[in-house]
Amino acid sequence: MGDGNAAERPYRNDAFISYHHASDSAKAAHLRRGLQNFARSWRQLRALRVFLDKDSLSANPGLWPEIERQLADSGAFILLACPGSADSVWVQKEAEWWRTGLGPRKMLIAVTGGELVWDHERGDFDWERTTCLPRTMAGMFTDEPRWVDLRWMSEDDPGSLRDPRFQQCVADLAAPLHGRPKEDLIGADVVQHRKTRRLARGALAVITTLAVLAGAASVVAVLQRDEARRQARLATSRQLAATALNLKDGNLRLASLLGIEAYRMQKSPEAIAALNRLATDSPYLVKMVSSAKAISTFAFSGDDTAVAVGDEGGAVTVWRSDGSAVRARTELPGRITAAGFSEDGKRLAVGDGKGNLGVYDLAGRKLRRLAPMPKAVSSLEFSMGGNLAVADEDGTVTLYEQAREKFRSKRTGHLGSLVVFQNEESYLLVRDATGGGALYTVPDLRTVMDDKTFKLPANQAAVAVSAGGHCFGYLKYGIFTSTGLPKAKGREALADTCGKFPMLPNEEALMLALTDGSRMAVGTASGITVVDGEADGEEDGETDGEPNQVRKLTGVGRPTLLKFSATGGRLASAHGRTAALWNLGQASRTAHAHGLSLVDMQNMIVAPPLATGPGGRIAWSNRLESELDSDPPKDLHVWSPKGGTAVGGDALYYECVAFGSDGRTLYAGTNGEIQEWRIVGKRLEKRRTIALSGSREGFHAATREIAPLGAGALAVTTGDGAVHLADPSARRTRIVVPPASTDPSRPRQSALSADGRAAAVENTEGGVDIHALPTGRKVQTARLPGEAVGSFALAATGRSLFLDGAERTFARWDLDEGRLRWRSDEPNGARVAVSKDGRTVATLTDGGTLTRWDVDTGDRLGGPEIPIPPRTLSGNGGIGEHTGFVVDDAGTLWTATEGGEVLSWDFSVDSWIDGLCRIAGGHGLTDAEWRRYVGTTPPSRPTCD
């Protein structure tokens, strides 16, 4: 296709449009398109070639010469006349050029604004009234020129190309350019337009048919492509999840990142289960942090809130002990070999392998260099008064007054010494790595006792000295042996505080760390083992310490360095350039403690009743450790994040608790009655007591659940399967569902929806009857084919009943459809808790395993293990039987264990990912790790941002 008879034309351009840019840019472009399309055959690209500077002119440094060339190569001149063009220098130059060339011949005028008046007597424009033409055009015409009126057009919206008014104006201008009468040209445009439409409709029909066929084929192809991609993502997700679980014991950082990527690749049950395992394993690990070089030393502050990490390159980084932030950075020329905090934690002393010393002010962020030691620094310590003792690898001990000036030095002969201030700074204890040691007076360093006896066994053994210097020992063949410093020069031997540790499995110990208490950490090729021994008691062999506890710290592989804090509650380990920070008092990495430790005062198995309320409140019945000496005891408690704990109650034990709809009222069931309490500051005030109707004894008297109905009304279930209602001012309940059992030794399970509108009661056939409240009418019965129901929970808005079977089944019953939605396997003896909306459901086994379930599919999403309390008086049953648990409105899980504590748990996939990202301590997989384990091009986004 082309431009018609362009080859026969003497000019390249059929017309040149001159216009004022600010006034007529849109109109000029619209007019150009109209001229190009008017009377155009379907075989032509355009009917006319029209020059318009902003569309036709390429970038050219010589603008006017190019304009001149285009003018010279144009067959007509179209002027868009308006007041703006009348004053335009460019329009004037272009019109003047045309005047001196072709003159008025083939000059066409389209008025877009202003006035144009012809003076027939003078044969020229009336320049007093004409406002749209340049004055330079005076005398240019002897006869009135052809012009069209476009003043009706808008610059913002010129309108349609097929507008009849616009078509007439275009025909007036196009007729002389085509050299044809206007009427013929309009007829030709109509014919061409109709022909084009017919061709377009025919082409559209063909294209539509082809598009339908192609669309159907593409839909099939897209579906097949998407399914192939989904299957590929699922396979990759499963592979990454399996790899993450395989790596978790030796490299939890890498395993965590792979587990997160597995879930992002495909939210499969395998990926979710892997995330749960990664989030709940290694419960004592707080965080992993990295160093530029291999880590060479650690030091904890006295209050365990900070840890200094020194490396082979001379850099020292001070972290918060939870790894959440860097507090300071400094450096020395050589490998960092020793570090220690001042008593107040405001200064850090560091020494390196070249003997250099420095004291870093953490507040002022300034390092002050001290007089160096002769050899590599092996140990240093601040006194409470601010003095600094330093030992080097050659056994030289030096004192620095106020950690500034060197004022005393002594060669001790104890190589690789540890220095510790003793007896309120009046003595300095020096211990070496072979079992010897000495005691010197401060500040004159006079020898009080000295023992250079070699106390290690033949061949290899793992050796350590505690941070306080009182515990020295070695581990060989799984047996720990400790030795103290003997009497010397009339002085008593130093107290030996090493604990009595059990024999460990015969795995080669690579290193050892000790506390001044009864705790030991052993580094092996497979990880870290922490042992809590028994503290030494009387000479007759009696011990008064805690029982032995052995814990495996996984996730870091073979350690290269171990260091306890002074309290023994924190541990730092290194594996090359990665440091792992451990909190041995932490129950779980997914649990949050709130300082609520519960006593175990029962001689039978009891799970403390729990309830959640607005504002993060939680209520329970069980005495706190801090209340053991209180008189009288109060067994009802309400805790909130902002308000602390409110205490009340007048019964020895409450069987169930529930918040009122206002969040300020607490209901508690005990001994055949319901008590209503008001939360007032730090105490609970009793408002009324509601007696339960009916005659009951034994387990039948127990209240199972309470659900507020609003305005003070209540729904209550009891152990005999009865459902009670109480009006706002009632003193006694009325029974709306009669008891399901009359056998006092056979209580019946029951559950209420959170809104109190439905009750579920275990029947005598092993199923569960659903009753509508307040009428008590039975609406349906839920069953597990082939087995009896063991326990269950009823969701409110979720319209679901979750059932735990007596023979390893967990299922969801749909109340709307009256049928099972799914069944899954679950270990026997699980209890069930569900959120109000039915979107979060959890089970708890007797062994203490918490499991979250997918409410739509029945997939097991995993969960943590309840920590075993240090002591329990019951003596039988699993830890799960000693634990109450409940899910709040936000989907957070709460547990309360007698003899343990009240904990809230990160119980969602998002919280597991957040926790794993904190552990990983970085932004994501490296490019090399991504290519190795995923096998594709690494993405631009990091795993953890």
Side-chain angles (χ1 to χ4, degrees):
M1 296 186 207
D3 298 336
N5 300 322
E8 302 174 4
R9 297 171 181 166
Y11 301 102
R12 175 178 175 79
N13 302 321
D14 293 294
F16 180 104
I17 296 179
S18 178
Y19 66 103
H20 183 233
H21 284 232
S23 304
D24 293 330
S25 289
K27 295 176 185 177
H30 197 63
L31 179 61
R32 180 173 183 258
R33 287 194 295 272
L35 292 170
Q36 289 173 336
N37 292 326
F38 193 78
R40 177 177 64 86
S41 168
W42 67 274
R43 295 187 300 272
Q44 295 177 294
L45 285 174
R46 58 185 69 85
L48 294 171
R49 182 181 293 275
V50 180
F51 176 83
L52 186 69
D53 56 2
K54 73 172 185 177
D55 291 332
S56 306
L57 196 61
S58 60
N60 193 314
L63 183 58
W64 176 246
E66 179 64 23
I67 292 291
E68 283 188 306
R69 281 192 291 273
Q70 295 295 337
L71 284 167
D73 210 8
S74 298
F77 185 93
I78 300 175
L79 172 64
L80 298 193
C82 69
S85 61
D87 297 330
S88 171
V89 174
W90 281 97
V91 171
Q92 292 176 16
K93 290 180 65 174
E94 291 164 356
E96 185 62 27
W97 189 96
W98 193 265
R99 178 177 185 174
T100 58
L102 298 178
R105 186 167 59 87
K106 287 293 184 80
M107 174 176 273
L108 308 176
I109 300 174
V111 179
T112 61
E115 297 294 332
L116 188 148
V117 181
W118 180 260
D119 188 339
H120 292 278
E121 294 182 1
R122 298 175 54 190
D124 198 357
F125 292 105
D126 186 346
W127 293 104
E128 297 297 326
R129 299 164 61 189
T130 297
T131 60
C132 61
L133 295 177
R135 286 280 184 162
T136 57
M137 292 178 61
M140 184 175 179
F141 296 93
T142 57
D143 295 312
E144 184 175 4
R146 182 193 299 268
W147 65 282
V148 297
D149 191 351
L150 293 176
R151 285 176 289 188
W152 53 272
M153 288 179 62
S154 167
E155 173 66 11
D156 295 332
D157 183 14
S160 170
L161 292 176
R162 305 305 299 179
D163 187 320
R165 292 181 297 173
F166 183 67
Q167 288 281 293
Q168 288 293 328
C169 295
V170 169
D172 284 333
L173 296 173
L177 301 180
H178 282 276
R180 298 174 64 185
K182 176 180 176 181
E183 291 77 8
D184 293 350
L185 198 60
I186 291 177
D189 178 68
V190 172
V191 170
Q192 292 296 341
H193 182 63
R194 289 174 178 172
K195 185 183 295 183
T196 301
R197 290 181 62 184
R198 285 195 299 272
L199 290 170
R201 280 196 294 267
L204 181 61
V206 173
I207 292 172
T208 301
T209 302
L210 295 175
V212 170
L213 295 175
S218 66
V219 167
V220 173
V222 168
L223 291 176
Q224 292 176 338
R225 181 205 63 188
D226 291 346
E227 178 61 19
R229 288 179 176 176
R230 192 190 71 82
Q231 290 296 333
R233 287 196 304 269
L234 180 59
T236 304
S237 173
R238 288 172 173 170
Q239 176 187 345
L240 291 176
T243 304
L245 293 179
N246 188 47
L247 293 173
K248 69 181 179 62
D249 290 340
N251 191 343
L252 188 58
R253 183 202 71 84
L254 177 58
S256 298
L257 298 175
L258 291 176
I260 295 169
E261 292 294 352
Y263 176 76
R264 288 180 175 166
M265 196 79 64
Q266 187 79 20
K267 295 176 175 59
S268 62
E270 295 87 350
I272 296 174
L275 285 176
N276 167 64
R277 288 284 304 278
L278 295 166
T280 55
D281 274 11
S282 197
Y284 310 108
L285 180 61
V286 176
K287 189 169 185 178
M288 294 180 179
V289 297
S290 298
S291 183
K293 300 286 186 179
I295 295 169
S296 55
T297 193
F298 291 116
F300 283 94
S301 62
D303 59 2
D304 285 3
T305 61
V307 59
V309 180
D311 67 24
E312 300 279 354
V316 181
T317 305
V318 180
W319 293 83
R320 297 190 185 279
S321 56
D322 61 1
S324 59
V326 174
R327 293 182 54 187
R329 297 183 192 274
T330 188
E331 59 182 352
L332 288 178
R335 170 181 181 268
I336 303 300
T337 53
F341 286 89
S342 61
E343 186 75 14
D344 59 8
K346 295 181 179 179
R347 291 180 294 170
L348 176 70
V350 290
D352 69 11
K354 299 179 179 180
N356 296 298
L357 279 169
V359 176
Y360 186 79
D361 184 339
L362 273 73
R365 297 184 179 276
K366 184 177 181 181
L367 179 69
R368 184 179 68 256
R369 297 287 290 271
L370 305 182
M373 296 293 290
K375 299 287 185 178
V377 177
S378 62
S379 175
L380 51 82
E381 184 180 84
F382 279 97
S383 70
M384 290 185 292
N387 294 328
L388 182 65
V390 184
D392 68 11
E393 63 181 8
D394 205 22
T396 299
V397 174
T398 302
L399 297 178
Y400 293 83
E401 186 175 11
Q402 293 301 306
R404 291 178 178 272
E405 298 297 329
K406 173 179 174 182
F407 70 94
R408 192 80 69 220
S409 185
K410 183 169 185 172
R411 180 77 176 271
T412 67
H414 293 279
L415 306 183
S417 303
L418 173 94
V419 292
V420 185
F421 284 97
Q422 302 283 302
N423 197 24
E424 296 184 354
E425 306 177 36
S426 59
Y427 295 102
L428 186 69
L429 174 64
V430 177
R431 294 295 298 257
D432 59 34
T434 63
L439 193 65
Y440 302 99
T441 59
V442 176
D444 55 359
L445 295 183
R446 181 175 54 85
T447 302
V448 175
M449 59 187 302
D450 196 351
D451 177 25
K452 293 184 173 66
T453 306
F454 187 88
K455 300 178 181 179
L456 298 182
N459 300 320
Q460 294 180 337
V463 185
V465 182
S466 64
H470 288 279
C471 181
F472 169 85
Y474 58 86
L475 190 70
K476 188 169 184 177
Y477 303 128
I479 300 174
F480 177 77
T481 304
S482 65
T483 61
L485 292 179
K487 295 180 181 180
K489 295 184 179 181
R491 297 283 179 175
E492 292 292 328
L494 291 177
D496 187 352
T497 61
C498 288
K500 294 182 178 179
F501 298 106
M503 183 174 178
L504 298 179
N506 191 16
E507 183 176 9
E508 184 177 4
L510 302 177
M511 62 188 59
L512 188 66
L514 298 168
T515 69
D516 277 322
S518 303
R519 183 166 284 167
M520 172 175 67
V522 183
T524 70
S526 62
I528 304 169
T529 300
V530 173
V531 185
D532 294 335
E534 294 182 347
D536 282 336
E538 302 298 329
E539 293 183 359
D540 59 3
E542 293 293 328
T543 62
D544 55 6
E546 296 290 341
N548 294 131
Q549 183 179 6
V550 179
R551 290 174 277 187
K552 292 288 290 185
L553 308 186
T554 59
V556 294
R558 177 176 179 168
T560 55
L561 186 66
L562 290 174
K563 177 73 173 182
F564 276 111
S565 66
T567 65
R570 298 269 182 172
L571 177 71
S573 66
H575 179 71
R577 294 183 298 172
T578 300
L581 306 179
W582 309 84
N583 181 359
L584 300 174
Q586 180 173 271
S588 169
R589 288 193 288 110
T590 58
H592 302 282
H594 304 282
L596 306 172
S597 297
L598 308 183
V599 299
D600 184 0
M601 300 295 291
Q602 305 294 331
N603 57 8
M604 60 181 181
I605 297 174
V606 172
L610 280 174
T612 60
R617 290 188 179 92
I618 186 162
W620 73 93
S621 174
N622 197 99
R623 204 172 309 168
L624 292 171
E625 287 280 359
S626 59
E627 298 167 347
L628 283 176
D629 298 328
S630 65
D631 186 25
K634 304 292 185 182
D635 283 353
L636 273 183
H637 299 80
V638 176
W639 177 86
S640 66
K642 296 181 180 179
T645 306
V647 180
D650 55 13
L652 291 177
Y653 178 71
Y654 290 91
E655 297 147 344
C656 58
V657 291
F659 280 95
S661 56
D662 60 359
R664 304 296 302 176
T665 302
L666 183 70
Y667 298 99
T670 179
N671 195 28
E673 65 182 27
I674 304 297
Q675 297 177 355
E676 179 182 313
W677 297 81
R678 186 71 175 172
I679 305 169
V680 182
K682 296 290 186 179
R683 70 183 191 280
L684 301 177
E685 293 182 354
K686 193 173 182 179
R687 294 299 177 89
R688 64 168 175 155
T689 299
I690 307 168
L692 298 177
S693 297
S695 175
R696 294 168 310 281
E697 58 179 319
F699 290 108
H700 283 202
T703 50
R704 289 286 188 181
E705 286 196 24
I706 304 171
L709 301 177
L714 297 175
V716 183
T717 62
T718 50
D720 56 3
V723 181
H724 303 244
L725 293 183
D727 295 329
S729 58
R731 294 295 179 180
R732 179 174 289 275
T733 65
R734 56 189 174 89
I735 298 177
V736 294
V737 177
S741 172
T742 58
D743 182 358
S745 64
R746 178 65 173 90
R748 294 294 169 182
Q749 304 250 10
S750 58
L752 291 167
S753 62
D755 59 5
R757 299 301 177 186
V761 181
E762 177 190 8
N763 61 33
T764 56
E765 288 78 34
V768 178
D769 295 331
I770 313 299
H771 299 267
L773 299 180
T775 64
R777 179 175 60 90
K778 186 171 79 170
V779 294
Q780 60 182 287
T781 298
R783 295 182 178 87
L784 288 175
E787 63 179 312
V789 174
S791 60
F792 48 89
L794 188 61
T797 57
R799 298 293 298 161
S800 296
L801 178 68
F802 294 93
L803 307 166
D804 178 70
E807 299 180 7
R808 306 180 66 85
T809 293
F810 186 59
R812 175 188 171 189
W813 181 275
D814 191 303
L815 296 176
D816 292 325
E817 299 179 6
R819 66 178 181 88
L820 288 175
R821 291 290 299 272
W822 47 256
R823 295 179 69 173
S824 296
D825 290 336
E826 164 68 7
N828 235 357
R831 290 182 289 131
V832 189
V834 63
S835 60
K836 287 182 180 180
D837 60 5
R839 299 306 302 171
T840 304
V841 62
T843 56
L844 174 62
T845 64
D846 296 346
T849 299
L850 282 162
T851 303
R852 182 180 175 184
W853 299 81
D854 188 308
V855 297
D856 295 321
T857 65
D859 289 324
R860 184 194 303 264
L861 304 183
E865 300 283 336
I866 299 294
I868 298 176
R871 297 179 185 274
T872 178
L873 300 178
S874 300
N876 59 0
I879 188 62
E881 294 189 60
H882 299 259
T883 300
F885 74 123
V886 66
V887 181
D888 66 17
D889 293 348
T892 299
L893 179 74
W894 292 82
T895 62
T897 304
E898 58 173 353
E901 58 185 324
V902 177
L903 299 172
S904 59
W905 297 82
D906 294 333
F907 209 50
S908 68
V909 173
D910 288 342
S911 65
W912 293 341
I913 291 176
D914 290 342
L916 292 175
C917 283
R918 287 194 297 271
I919 286 294
H923 292 293
L925 295 170
T926 65
D927 288 355
E929 290 170 339
W930 183 276
R931 290 189 175 92
R932 177 180 179 183
Y933 294 102
V934 185
T936 62
T937 302
S940 57
R941 56 119 179 107
T943 307
C944 299
D945 191 356

